[in-house]
Amino acid sequence: LLPTPAMAARAAALVGDEPWGREQWERLAEGLVFDGMESWLPWVADGEQLLTDLLPDTAQVLLVEPRRLRDRAADVLAEEADLARTLAITWAAVAPDEADDHAFPRLHLDIDRVLAGTSVPSWSIVNAPESPDTPVVSSSAWAPVVGSGEATVHRIQILLAEGYRVIVAADGTGSAGRLQTILGEQGVGLALAEPGRALTAPGGRIVVAALHQGVVLPELRLAILSESDLTGRRRAHRAARPQKRDSAGFFDDLKPGDFIVHYHHGVGRYGGMVKRSIGGSERDYLLLEYKGGDKLYVPSDQIDAVRH
């Protein structure tokens, strides 16, 4: 949610139209950036824009484990609806007997609506074939070759001789040129692929595309290598962590049944503080309860991962 002048103007108008949310509308109208501000996106956004609306015509959508994806999407919608009903009463947006009929603008949409937003082709990827007609493609990571770089080069030469397409993904234009020179000096001549050109021709190519690790697909006669597969240097990928905060005062206004948002697991209900013994050590945990009976125990010293 970007604090643009247009967004601020829409938030300012809500101060009078939806007075129950005055505190949030005023913060947004002032252009302030705060934790959880994205939750108000449906109220202040100019129209509806989905991720699929941004895809070019040349895109390919991959649905990984579509059944699990749909189940999780349905859970997210149910969690949001439960939270909206609770907040509608808490903030006095509606009377308690009207909460079930009241609908806040939704932050999440039905998955079919999301997929209907694009005409690009989509493939479903599953771990196990769902029918005898399901195409099966085996794959394995490009495992580092033990020994010198000569062993890796020799392996590439063998794959090319066996009719494989070998694609080397370089992190940048400069490194693509260096890799081409280094491989060429060792007897592997790979051309630099033209941007936007399909990589369906036999032989080897070097493309500019950041890739953490390569993969080999025998049925497709295709091997994809990352720059680090050749150099042995892996790029660091660190997930953003929530800001640390002091636990003092966090539980003052928290009671069982309240909604809590976990940084990784989403919205759950606070089930109270519990003690658990793990590895012979007893610790205090926040109990978060999720739909379907799932429970998450968050160590009390890791409350920076949750907010309410």
Side-chain angles (χ1 to χ4, degrees), residues 179-302:
L179 289 176
Q180 184 185 36
T181 300
I182 293 172
L183 290 172
E185 291 174 348
Q186 299 183 62
V188 178
L190 301 183
L192 294 177
E194 298 180 19
R197 294 293 296 274
L199 302 174
T200 55
R205 302 285 190 281
I206 298 177
V207 300
V208 176
L211 184 67
H212 184 60
Q213 186 177 12
V215 64
V216 179
L217 301 105
E219 283 89 352
L220 302 182
R221 288 291 211 223
L222 174 64
I224 304 173
L225 289 75
S226 68
E227 181 174 325
S228 56
D229 289 325
L230 294 175
T231 63
R233 296 189 299 272
R234 297 287 177 193
R235 296 184 300 140
H237 290 266
R238 295 181 180 178
R241 295 182 61 83
Q243 184 178 0
K244 293 285 184 181
R245 66 169 181 263
D246 189 354
S247 61
F250 179 76
F251 303 100
D252 289 350
D253 58 348
L254 193 62
K255 58 184 182 298
D258 286 349
F259 286 98
I260 284 186
V261 182
H262 189 276
Y263 182 66
H264 292 296
H265 300 277
V267 178
R269 289 183 184 273
Y270 175 57
M273 292 295 298
V274 298
K275 289 186 179 292
R276 286 173 63 89
S277 180
I278 298 179
S281 177
E282 190 175 65
R283 299 177 64 182
D284 291 325
Y285 292 84
L286 285 80
L287 171 60
L288 270 63
E289 300 170 335
Y290 289 86
K291 187 176 181 180
D294 292 340
K295 295 182 178 181
L296 177 67
Y297 295 90
V298 182
S300 58
D301 59 356
Q302 296 180 16

Side-chain angles (χ1 to χ4, degrees), residues 1-17:
L1 177 58
L2 302 178
T4 62
M7 184 273 289
R10 287 189 288 272
L14 286 168
V15 173
D17 296 339

Side-chain angles (χ1 to χ4, degrees):
L1 177 58
L2 302 178
T4 62
M7 184 273 289
R10 287 189 288 272
L14 286 168
V15 173
D17 296 339
E18 302 285 347
W20 55 268
R22 183 184 185 91
E23 179 182 353
Q24 311 301 334
W25 311 141
E26 289 180 342
R27 294 168 76 184
L28 292 169
E30 293 172 7
L32 300 181
V33 177
F34 55 92
D35 187 33
M37 63 185 292
E38 71 281 355
S39 300
W40 304 98
L41 176 64
W43 293 91
V44 296
D46 182 17
E48 179 183 281
Q49 187 176 59
L50 308 178
L51 176 63
T52 48
D53 295 334
L54 306 178
L55 296 179
D57 294 338
T58 55
Q60 171 71 58
V61 173
L62 300 180
L63 305 176
V64 181
E65 294 292 336
R67 289 185 179 178
R68 291 181 58 192
L69 187 152
R70 287 181 178 278
D71 289 345
R72 179 56 187 145
D75 288 344
V76 169
L77 288 173
E79 290 167 3
E80 183 180 11
D82 289 343
L83 180 60
R85 281 192 293 270
T86 300
L87 295 181
I89 298 173
T90 301
W91 290 331
V94 297
D97 59 348
E98 298 175 351
D100 289 337
D101 298 325
H102 183 78
F104 279 159
R106 283 192 167 187
L107 180 62
H108 303 91
L109 296 178
D110 184 89
I111 189 171
D112 289 327
R113 167 66 186 87
V114 176
L115 296 178
T118 180
S119 59
V120 303
S122 64
W123 294 346
S124 294
I125 300 178
V126 294
N127 284 329
E130 296 180 343
S131 74
D133 298 326
T134 301
V136 177
V137 178
S138 61
S139 64
S140 61
W142 178 277
V145 179
V146 179
S148 66
E150 294 180 357
T152 300
V153 171
H154 181 62
R155 184 177 177 188
I156 294 175
Q157 290 173 327
I158 292 176
L159 290 173
L160 289 171
E162 293 178 349
Y164 272 71
R165 282 176 292 149
V166 177
I167 309 298
V168 176
D171 291 340
T173 304
S175 57
R178 289 193 296 273
L179 289 176
Q180 184 185 36
T181 300
I182 293 172
L183 290 172
E185 291 174 348
Q186 299 183 62
V188 178
L190 301 183
L192 294 177
E194 298 180 19
R197 294 293 296 274
L199 302 174
T200 55
R205 302 285 190 281
I206 298 177
V207 300
V208 176
L211 184 67
H212 184 60
Q213 186 177 12
V215 64
V216 179
L217 301 105
E219 283 89 352
L220 302 182
R221 288 291 211 223
L222 174 64
I224 304 173
L225 289 75
S226 68
E227 181 174 325
S228 56
D229 289 325
L230 294 175
T231 63
R233 296 189 299 272
R234 297 287 177 193
R235 296 184 300 140
H237 290 266
R238 295 181 180 178
R241 295 182 61 83
Q243 184 178 0
K244 293 285 184 181
R245 66 169 181 263
D246 189 354
S247 61
F250 179 76
F251 303 100
D252 289 350
D253 58 348
L254 193 62
K255 58 184 182 298
D258 286 349
F259 286 98
I260 284 186
V261 182
H262 189 276
Y263 182 66
H264 292 296
H265 300 277
V267 178
R269 289 183 184 273
Y270 175 57
M273 292 295 298
V274 298
K275 289 186 179 292
R276 286 173 63 89
S277 180
I278 298 179
S281 177
E282 190 175 65
R283 299 177 64 182
D284 291 325
Y285 292 84
L286 285 80
L287 171 60
L288 270 63
E289 300 170 335
Y290 289 86
K291 187 176 181 180
D294 292 340
K295 295 182 178 181
L296 177 67
Y297 295 90
V298 182
S300 58
D301 59 356
Q302 296 180 16
I303 64 165
D304 53 290
V306 300
R307 58 183 174 86
H308 70 94

